[in-house]
Structure formats: C-alpha cells, structure tokens
Amino acid sequence: FFLSLNAKLILSGNNQSREVFLKDYYKGYKQLDRQSNELVTKITFKIPQNNYKQLHVNDPFQCSYNG
C-alpha cells in the first residue's frame, strides 16, 4: 500500500535522521538501506485526491470497476 503512495521513511540513529523512499529502502532479499543503529521513526506520504479510478476485488473471479 505505502509503495503505491510513494512513501518516504524517516530513519533515526546516533542523533541524526535521514529520509529514504520506501522503494529504495528495500535493496533485495533481506537487504535494507538501514544501518544497525537506525530505526524507522516516521512514514510520510501524500494523501491521494478523489480523481482516481478504483478497482474493487471481492472475489478473485469477479471484479467491479468504478470509473
């Protein structure tokens, strides 16, 4: 969900903080862009506007499209 919103993570450690896009935080299998002393302290993202299309999937074999 947060990947689709282009979320940013705020990482803090050693009295410093930095921002990393969530898509860049995951580098590979069990590999993260995080030092051992850093913690994720905040996740930020923009709230989408109401001018987007929605796809509702209630059943894997039936979908409804509102657009």
Side-chain angles (χ1 to χ4, degrees):
F1 174 75
F2 290 119
L3 279 173
S4 66
L5 296 176
N6 201 27
K8 285 185 189 177
L9 302 177
I10 310 299
L11 301 167
S12 299
N14 289 341
N15 296 324
Q16 297 178 358
S17 63
R18 64 186 180 105
E19 291 185 2
V20 176
F21 280 103
L22 182 60
K23 65 182 179 70
D24 298 327
Y25 181 69
Y26 292 100
K27 298 170 111 180
Y29 180 69
K30 293 189 177 183
Q31 296 178 351
L32 304 174
D33 183 10
R34 183 181 71 85
Q35 302 298 318
S36 61
N37 64 339
E38 290 181 318
L39 296 173
V40 176
T41 56
K42 191 183 287 188
I43 301 174
T44 62
F45 57 90
K46 292 183 181 179
I47 297 174
Q49 301 299 314
N50 251 353
N51 59 355
Y52 60 92
K53 308 294 182 193
Q54 297 178 357
L55 178 65
H56 299 280
V57 179
N58 299 324
D59 179 350
F61 301 104
Q62 295 179 342
C63 297
S64 64
Y65 176 71
N66 297 333

